[in-house]
Amino acid sequence: MKLVPFHYAGQKDPIIFINPEQVVAVRAFDASTHIYVSVLQKDGGPSYYPVRERLEEAVSLLTER
């Protein structure tokens, strides 16, 4: 399993690791980029991680081989 490090867009800005095989979408917002994963939240909504990397950088990191 390949894990890619990202800077979580939270108050403490820790590093999180995301498995690219579980990513279903990536979307840019003003202050962060959201990486959506295939696991749903308890209420059935989409699960995502807000990260500090810009959209292009996030996509590049997720698609590197």
Side-chain angles (χ1 to χ4, degrees):
M1 167 177 39
K2 175 185 171 186
L3 295 174
V4 179
F6 288 92
H7 294 92
Y8 186 73
Q11 291 181 352
K12 294 186 180 184
D13 195 34
I15 300 293
I16 60 169
F17 293 86
I18 297 175
N19 181 349
E21 293 180 14
Q22 300 297 313
V23 173
V24 295
V26 181
R27 182 177 179 194
F29 288 90
D30 291 338
S32 64
T33 298
H34 290 188
I35 299 176
Y36 294 83
V37 294
S38 60
V39 177
L40 297 177
Q41 294 182 27
K42 289 180 183 180
D43 65 0
S47 292
Y48 65 89
Y49 296 96
V51 298
R52 299 216 180 271
E53 285 77 8
R54 299 184 67 82
L55 177 67
E56 297 80 10
E57 182 181 3
V59 170
S60 177
L61 289 168
L62 290 166
T63 58
E64 280 182 2
R65 297 271 168 168

